[in-house]
Amino acid sequence: MPTYSIGLDFGTESVRALLVDVATGEAVATAVEAYSDGVIDERLPGSTNRLPPDWALQNPADWLTGLERTIAAVLAQSRIDPSTVAGIGLDFTSCTVLPARADGTPLCEIPAFRGERHAWPKLWKHHGAQAQADRVTAHAAARGEKWLARYGGRISSEWLLPKALEIAEEAADLFEAADRFVEGADWVVWRLTDTLARNACAAGYKGTWHKQEGDPSHDFLAGLRPGFEALYASKVPRDVVSPGTAVGHLTPAWAERLHLPVATAVAAPIIDAHAAVLGGGVAGPGTFVMMMGTSTCHLLLADAERPVEGMAGVVEDGIVPGYFAYESGQAAVGDLFAWYAQHAVPPAYHAAAAKEALSVQAQLTSKAEGMGPGSSGLLVLDWWQGNRSTLGRSDLSGLIVGATLSTRPEEIFHALVEATAFGTRAIVESYTDQALPVSSIVAGGGLTRNAMLMQIYADVTGRQIAVAGAPQASALGAAMLGAVAAGARRGGHDALTDAVARMAPGPARLYEPIEANRRHYDLLYREYKRLYDYFGRGGSEVMRTLRGMRRRM
Amino acid sequence: MPTYSIGLDFGTESVRALLVDVATGEAVATAVEAYSDGVIDERLPGSTNRLPPDWALQNPADWLTGLERTIAAVLAQSRIDPSTVAGIGLDFTSCTVLPARADGTPLCEIPAFRGERHAWPKLWKHHGAQAQADRVTAHAAARGEKWLARYGGRISSEWLLPKALEIAEEAADLFEAADRFVEGADWVVWRLTDTLARNACAAGYKGTWHKQEGDPSHDFLAGLRPGFEALYASKVPRDVVSPGTAVGHLTPAWAERLHLPVATAVAAPIIDAHAAVLGGGVAGPGTFVMMMGTSTCHLLLADAERPVEGMAGVVEDGIVPGYFAYESGQAAVGDLFAWYAQHAVPPAYHAAAAKEALSVQAQLTSKAEGMGPGSSGLLVLDWWQGNRSTLGRSDLSGLIVGATLSTRPEEIFHALVEATAFGTRAIVESYTDQALPVSSIVAGGGLTRNAMLMQIYADVTGRQIAVAGAPQASALGAAMLGAVAAGARRGGHDALTDAVARMAPGPARLYEPIEANRRHYDLLYREYKRLYDYFGRGGSEVMRTLRGMRRRM
C-alpha cells in the first residue's frame, strides 16, 4: 500500500495542499483555499482605521483554516486511507513574521492587542520598515560587520531585523509583550506539533543567521536601540533546523482536527521559492535554478561558501543539508515586460492581441519570433528596478541604445528579453568566476511558457535549460520534506537527495543552445558588459544623477 | 500708389504665390497650386513602367503652370493694377536639378527622351544616387580635397554631383545630350527672362561651388569618370548670382501670359529654407535661425568663414550678399516625435487625444506641461537618424537612459523634446566655439506652435527665441528678393538688408529663458554632453556595432 506526504504551499493570497505518493512523487490530489482576510493592507479586521501606505499584514487564523480545509479536500478527492499519510511539509512566503507569547498565542489574538497594527503578522511585502532597514545597513557597515557582505551589502526592509526594530521603536509595549518573534512557517509547525524551532532557510536568508557564526552580536543590536538585544537573546527560537528535519508529530488535537494519524511527521519548513528547487528536481551542485516571474530568483547549491558578487544571501543547509545554498535576483523581469506592454506599446498591437485573444506580450512574442540575435539593432540594460544582484545598486536605471526611426515595438520587446537574459548570464558568471560550477539550468515560473524567451536564455547563457516538470514545484518540494521527515531515521542530506531523485518528474521541456545564436550572443554580450561596466561601475554616474534630479524636482 | 512684389515659393507638392506691398511687407493676397504630376515616384507620366525605389522626379511643366495660375489668382484676389507689380522673386526646393538643351528645353520635353527616366528633373529627395554620393565623398577624401570639410566631410546623394554622375553612368547618351544641368529655380528664371544664371545659394550648398575657389577641379571630375569634367566645363552655368540680383525682366511672351509689365524684374532665386531667414526678419550676424519641422535646418549669417564642426555647408553671398551663410541640421526632430507617437504610445493616450480632438503629440504635451527640467529622470541622445550635424556620423543611433517601472509616456516625450533642444544647443555652441556670435534665435516651422517645446528650447539654449511673424516666411523672403531686384540699381547687401528691415513683420511670440530652468538645464546638458562625447566621439562604438549587426542578420 502506498504511503503519502502532504505538501502545503503558503502563498501571499492562498494556501495549496498537494497530496503526493512518497514512492513516485505522483500528485494524487490538490486543493487551494484563499485567505479570508487576504493581504491586510487597508484596515485591520474589524477596524475602520486606515493602515499606513506600504503596510501589508496577514491573519494567522487564515493559515490554520486554510491548511485544515485543503487537507480535508485532498483527502476527500483522493479517497486514500488517511492513515497512509506519513508526513507533512510546508513552504511559506518569507520573511513573514509575527510576535507571539511563549505559549504560541499570536499577539493579534489577544483582545487587548487586537487593534494594534504592530501585533499582526507582517507579510513579506510589508515595506513599512524601510527607515529601519537603512539604519540596520548603515550601522552594520559602520561597524564593519562581516555578515553584511553575505547579503550583498544591504539588509532589506522585508527581513526580520528591520521588521522587529520597527515594532521596538513604534510599539515598545508590544515588543516587550512579545516572548517570541517567529516566521509564519515556524509558527504553523509550532501549532501543529507543539514544538518551536527555527527553519534554517528563513533564518539564513531573512534572519541574518549563519551556521558557524550564529546571529548578529548583542553589541550590534544594543547599538541599534538599547534593549533590542533581547531579540536574539530570548525572543527568536534558538533551535535552528534544516529543511526536512522532523520537528515533531501532530498533536492529538490537530490529528483529530485533520483526520490524520498522530504519528504524522511534520517537517522543518522552507521558503516557497527555495522549495521549488527541490520540486524542480535539483538537490546538488552544478544546476542553476531560476524562478521566473515578475522578478527572477536564482538559486544554486554548492560545496563551499565564497564571496559571490552581489548575491542576496548564502545559507549553509538552507535548502539541502550539507550544501551551501546561494541566492541572487533580478528585480524586474516579468515586471519589465508588463511595464513595456502597458506603457509603451501602440494601439495597433493591443487591437491585434485582442483580436487573437492573446495577451499583448504574447502578441509581441508572435511578432518577434524568428528575429535573430541583435537583429533589432538595440541593446538594453535591464535595470528598471536598479541592479540589486551583481552590482548591488538600486540607484541604477534602464537604458536603451540603438533606436532609429525604423525601430518597431516587437524589436524593443525582443531586446528587453535579451537584456534580462544578459542579466542572468552576468549572475551565472558571478558564480563561475568564484569557481562555483553552473553546468545546466532548471527554470520554473510563469515566464517559462514563453518558448522564444526560453530559447534566448539558452542561447545567451550557452547552457541547456530544463523547464521544471512539476506544475506546482513549491508544493511538491514541501511534500518531499514531509516524506523525508516521515521516513528517514537519520534525516539530512542523503534522505533528501534520494527523495528528490525519486519524486521529481522529468522536465516539461528542454531548450538547447543553438550554436550560431550562441556565437552572436557572445559578441552582443561583450557589448552589454561594456555598457554594464561603464554605467554600473563608475564610468558614468549619470543614472544616479538623473535619479537625484528627479527626486529634487 | 503702392508698388508690389510677388514671391513664388516652389515646394515639393505645390507652388505658392504671395503678393506683397514692397513698402510695408504687407501680404495682400496668396494662392497655392498643386503640381498635376506631384512627386513622380511610381511611373513617368504616360508610362506603365515602375520607377526604381528611392526615385523622385518632377514635371517642369507643372512649375510653369503653377506660377501662371497662382499669379493670376493673386492678381484677381487683390484687384491691384498689374502694372504696379515691380518684381518677382523665387524660392525653390534644392537640389532639384534637370538636364536641358542650350535653348532651355528640358530633355524630358524632347519626344525622343520623354520615356527616359534620367531625362526628368530629379527632385531634392530623389535618393537614387547614393552609390555615386559615396564615391564622390570617398574620391574627395582620398585626394584630400579641402572643399569636403565645408560640407561636414560628406557629399549627400541629394546634391548636384551625385545626381549628374548618376546620369553620366547610367544614361551616357542623355549626359551627352544635356547642354546644361540647371537647378529648377534657375531654369524657371531662365524661362521667364530668357537669361540663364546660377544662383549662389543652391550653387554653394548643393553644387560644391565656392566664391573664391570656384568648382571642383577638372582632374577631380575626370577621376570620377572620364568625360565627367564636361559638367563644370560647359554644362553648369558659369554666371553665379547672389539672391536678389536682377537676372533680367519678363520676356514679352511671359509678360503677356502673366498680364504683367515687361519691365517686371525677376530676381536670382534662393533655396526655400534659406528664404525663410529673410522672411523671418534676419539679414545679419548674431541671430540663429531654426526652421523646425520633421527635421530642423539651422542657418546663421556671419562675417567670416571658419571651420565649424559638422556644418552642412557655408556659402559666401548664399543668403545676403557680403555675409557668409552657415547651415547645420538635425536630421530627426518632428520625425522623432512622430515616430514616438506612432510606435511607442499606449492606447489610453490615443483615446484621450481622440476624445479631446487633439493629436497624440498635443495630448502628450498637455500631460507633460509643467514638468521641470530633468523631472522625468530620463536623458536622451536624439540620434534616431544619426547625428549629421556636429558629429557628422550617420552610424549613430538613439539612446534613452533613466527608465524605471514608474516611467510614463509624457515623461519620455518630455525627455525627447529636451534631447532635441540639447542637440540644438550643441549646434549653437559649434558656432560660438568658433567665435561666431549667436545672441538670439528666430524660429519658424510647424513645431513653433508647441509652446512647451519652445520654452524648453529657450531654457536649454539660454537665449530669447522669437517665433517668426510671417505665416509664409519663405514666400515673403522670395518677395523681398523680387522687391530688391526691382528697386535697387546697385542691388546687393544694403538693398536686401533694407528690404528685410522694412518688410518683415514683428515676431508672433517671444520665449525668454527662465533663469531657474536654465540653471537646471546647464547641469543636465553637462550630462548630455558626456554621453554625447562617449557615444559620439569614440568612447563607445556600440552604436556602430549594433547597426552592423542589424544589417548582417
Side-chain angles (χ1 to χ4, degrees), chain A residues 332 335-336 339-347 350 372-379 383-385 396-409 411-412 520 523-524 527 530-531 534-535 540-543 545-547 549-550 552-553, chain B residues 332 335-336 339-347 350 372-379 383-385 396-409 411-412 520 523-524 527 530-531 534-535 540-543 545-547 549-550 552-553:
Chain A
D335 270 353
L336 170 57
W339 172 88
Y340 179 66
Q342 185 179 352
H343 298 295
V345 172
H350 287 261
S375 63
S376 67
L378 300 168
L379 190 55
W383 299 341
W384 266 248
Q385 292 251 64
L396 299 177
S397 55
L399 178 144
I400 300 176
V401 60
T404 71
L405 294 182
S406 63
T407 299
R408 292 296 173 267
E411 296 177 319
I412 299 175
H520 278 295
L523 297 175
L524 203 53
E527 298 295 332
R530 282 195 189 121
L531 292 175
Y534 185 68
F535 288 100
S540 168
E541 287 299 328
V542 67
M543 291 175 177
T545 303
L546 289 171
R547 282 198 186 251
M549 288 188 86
R550 184 177 198 189
R552 281 195 303 277
M553 287 308 294
Chain B
D335 270 354
L336 170 57
W339 172 87
Y340 179 65
Q342 186 180 351
H343 298 296
V345 172
H350 286 262
S375 63
S376 67
L378 300 169
L379 190 54
W383 299 341
W384 266 247
Q385 291 252 65
L396 299 176
S397 55
L399 179 144
I400 300 177
V401 60
T404 71
L405 294 182
S406 63
T407 299
R408 292 297 173 268
E411 296 177 319
I412 299 174
H520 279 294
L523 298 175
L524 203 54
E527 298 294 333
R530 283 194 189 121
L531 291 176
Y534 185 67
F535 288 100
S540 168
E541 287 298 329
V542 66
M543 291 174 177
T545 303
L546 290 170
R547 281 196 187 253
M549 288 188 88
R550 184 177 199 190
R552 280 196 303 276
M553 288 308 294

Side-chain angles (χ1 to χ4, degrees), chain A residues 412-471:
Chain A
I412 299 175
F413 181 70
H414 196 262
L416 292 174
V417 171
E418 289 176 335
T420 63
F422 293 145
T424 293
R425 177 165 168 175
I427 290 170
V428 168
E429 292 187 353
S430 72
Y431 290 103
T432 56
D433 286 351
Q434 288 294 329
L436 300 172
V438 174
S439 53
S440 69
I441 296 174
V442 164
L447 290 178
T448 60
R449 288 193 291 273
N450 187 319
M452 179 192 82
L453 179 146
M454 296 308 295
Q455 186 62 52
I456 289 173
Y457 272 65
D459 293 340
V460 166
T461 60
R463 285 163 173 88
Q464 182 199 75
I465 303 181
V467 175

Side-chain angles (χ1 to χ4, degrees), chain A residues 253-316:
Chain A
W254 271 102
E256 191 180 333
R257 195 165 156 187
L258 298 176
H259 307 289
L260 291 174
V262 285
T264 308
V266 180
I270 190 168
I271 301 174
D272 49 0
H274 301 61
V277 173
L278 305 173
V282 176
T287 303
F288 187 77
V289 178
M290 310 191 288
M291 299 307 299
M292 309 172 76
T294 56
S295 57
T296 292
C297 174
H298 312 86
L299 293 159
L300 181 69
L301 300 176
D303 290 316
E305 183 173 333
R306 300 227 175 84
V308 173
E309 189 178 50
M311 63 184 167
V314 53
V315 180
E316 187 174 357

